[in-house]
Amino acid sequence: MKRFTIAAISAIAMLGAGFNAYAGDDEPKLEIKPTGRVLMDGAIYAPDGDGFADGAALPDIRLGAKVNYGKWAAKIDVGFGFGKISMKDVYMQYNFNEHNLIRAGYFVHQFGLNAATSSSMKPAMEAPISDNFFNATGRNIGVMYVYDKDKFFVGVSGIVAGTSMTSPANEQAKVSVGALNRMVYRPFHNEGLVAQVGLSLWYQSAMHKSIENEDGEEVASPGYFDFTSGFPTRVCKVNLLGADVQQARGVFKLSPELVLAKDRIALEGQYYYMNVNRKHDFKNYTAHGVYGLLRGLIIGDSYGYSHGDAGLATPKPGSLEMILGYNYTDANCRKAEVFGGISNDYSVTFNYYINKYMLARLRYSYTDVRNSAVQSDRHVNAIQARLQIIF
């Protein structure tokens, strides 16, 4: 399977390099562009042990292709991190015009500010712990409509969530479905001056799995959600927060966002609120989190804006950026008797944008956790470095 996947993507890449022509005078142009990325990480931890070990890794390796044909577009992206094959973005897209599009497949849907950046382009090197715990920007099968014009950006999606990409529907017994959106108002979105506020909403029915009842019949299990997040590092994978919520009906998420930028200074942040409605006499589970990033260009002109993503654009080649970050996540709910843990994360990140395709990073972070069902009370200091290549 692995050899077949690599061979198929290689064939697409060669096709893209050699086939870029018109089928006729009235036909649109077919363009096939190979894509890929490699992340090379190294990390030192203090204290180490108990799950942490200094080392190096290639946590993300990807190959894929983008296809454009008139108003149609498609993408397939396959990951090989840690030697395991996994599907990333797989979708088709129709662009009505430069302001409206519809996308269908398996991808990250618009919810919150972190939907504006891929996993390897997070400003502080790793996604905020809150974003991971609340499953805010995970991939889901679904359909998304995006409106992007002038001062407004709106993304609306319907999804089939949970394990639908990895498990057939009969193993889930009853699939989890949902709807979400992201609404952004940006009165200023020019080079060197950005002001943006946004609000995202999400509702999703509970997840299930197929189990046998007392008569040996296959039935749907009671609804549940499993929310988890690890320490913000990829060289080691260590649990940080975890909440197993049983007897669930559905989950509601709400997340306001803020972006401000003036010349070489920028501020961005997001708040997360989640409520899991539960059946019978079980109390609802609630959790919340918040993060903020203060960004500054030590070398570089000013921060720009990316329209299609509704977020700050990647700084220009040759820029050196410093970022101060803080993230707080409270996954404990005494009323529901679910203790996912409480975490603080402080970080300083330096990003050097070598050229259009290469980025070097250096990050220091202090992360603590307490009252977690999946981790003992502890803290860790981490120094991480990364060289990444993306095309």
Side-chain angles (χ1 to χ4, degrees):
M1 174 64 181
K2 185 175 181 179
R3 291 181 179 177
F4 173 78
T5 304
I6 296 175
I9 294 175
S10 298
I12 293 173
M14 289 187 290
L15 180 62
F19 183 42
N20 186 356
Y22 287 95
D25 293 339
D26 298 327
E27 288 291 325
K29 190 176 184 179
L30 175 64
E31 298 178 338
I32 304 176
K33 179 183 178 182
T35 62
R37 76 177 62 174
V38 178
L39 305 189
M40 294 168 278
D41 285 15
I44 299 174
Y45 307 100
D48 56 6
D50 195 17
F52 286 101
D54 302 343
L58 274 70
D60 197 359
I61 303 172
R62 299 190 197 180
L63 290 172
K66 293 180 179 179
V67 180
N68 288 283
Y69 183 71
K71 294 186 176 183
W72 290 93
K75 180 181 180 181
I76 180 169
D77 202 15
V78 183
F80 303 93
F82 291 103
K84 298 179 181 178
I85 296 177
S86 61
M87 299 306 299
K88 303 301 181 180
D89 291 337
V90 183
Y91 63 76
M92 294 184 65
Q93 178 175 304
Y94 182 77
N95 302 294
F96 297 98
N97 51 48
E98 62 178 327
H99 304 300
N100 297 267
L101 66 83
I102 189 166
R103 179 181 296 177
Y106 181 66
F107 55 92
V108 175
H109 296 256
Q110 286 291 336
F111 183 87
L113 188 56
N114 276 271
T117 52
S118 68
S119 61
S120 59
M121 293 304 294
K122 302 302 180 188
M125 189 166 162
E126 297 294 346
I129 293 169
S130 292
D131 204 79
N132 287 331
F133 179 79
F134 290 96
N135 292 332
T137 50
R139 291 179 176 84
N140 289 289
I141 295 175
V143 178
M144 177 178 70
Y145 166 76
V146 171
Y147 173 84
D148 172 29
K149 186 177 181 180
D150 299 331
K151 298 180 179 180
F152 299 96
F153 177 95
V154 178
V156 181
S157 294
I159 60 173
V160 180
T163 60
S164 292
M165 189 64 181
T166 57
S167 302
N170 60 303
E171 292 183 8
Q172 302 174 64
K174 185 187 296 183
V175 298
S176 174
V177 297
L180 60 147
N181 76 335
R182 181 185 178 206
M183 301 171 289
V184 167
Y185 174 63
R186 49 197 180 194
F188 303 100
H189 51 281
N190 304 312
E191 181 76 25
L193 180 60
V194 178
Q196 171 175 303
V197 293
L199 177 66
S200 298
L201 305 172
W202 181 316
Y203 182 80
Q204 177 186 335
S205 63
M207 296 175 59
H208 300 80
K209 55 187 174 182
S210 181
I211 60 174
E212 288 189 1
N213 63 13
E214 296 178 354
D215 299 325
E217 299 174 336
E218 293 287 333
V219 297
S221 70
Y224 74 92
F225 287 104
D226 188 15
F227 302 103
T228 63
S229 180
F231 279 85
T233 177
R234 302 195 205 187
V235 173
C236 295
K237 294 186 177 182
V238 182
N239 289 333
L240 177 69
L241 304 173
D244 182 13
V245 186
Q246 298 294 322
Q247 298 294 333
R249 296 181 187 272
V251 61
F252 170 75
K253 305 175 190 179
L254 176 150
S255 188
E257 64 183 77
L258 172 69
V259 180
L260 299 172
K262 182 69 167 65
D263 298 329
R264 297 163 62 180
I265 301 295
L267 173 68
E268 61 180 72
Q270 189 172 335
Y271 171 77
Y272 303 79
Y273 170 81
M274 179 170 68
N275 180 82
V276 178
N277 183 259
R278 304 172 77 192
K279 299 178 181 178
H280 311 306
D281 295 327
F282 289 86
K283 301 296 184 180
N284 290 357
Y285 169 74
T286 59
H288 64 273
V290 65
Y291 82 89
L293 301 176
L294 178 60
R295 306 174 61 174
L297 291 172
I298 300 173
I299 301 174
D301 297 329
S302 59
Y303 284 100
Y305 189 79
S306 176
H307 247 279
D309 302 314
L312 294 180
T314 300
K316 297 175 182 178
S319 299
L320 175 62
E321 181 182 35
M322 177 180 176
I323 300 173
L324 303 178
Y326 173 70
N327 188 123
Y328 172 78
T329 310
D330 184 353
N332 283 348
C333 182
R334 293 187 178 278
K335 179 181 66 174
E337 298 183 346
V338 176
F339 298 96
I342 300 174
S343 174
N344 294 275
D345 179 65
Y346 307 83
S347 66
V348 181
T349 307
F350 291 91
N351 298 320
Y352 178 54
Y353 300 87
I354 302 172
N355 54 44
K356 183 179 179 180
Y357 305 104
M358 300 180 67
L359 170 59
R361 300 177 181 266
L362 180 65
R363 169 186 163 108
Y364 165 77
S365 62
Y366 172 90
T367 309
D368 65 25
V369 60
R370 63 185 187 276
N371 303 328
S372 171
V374 299
Q375 185 59 258
S376 58
D377 292 4
R378 63 185 301 191
H379 73 272
V380 67
N381 297 272
I383 299 176
Q384 302 179 74
R386 171 179 296 166
L387 177 63
Q388 63 186 59
I389 302 170
I390 301 178
F391 60 89

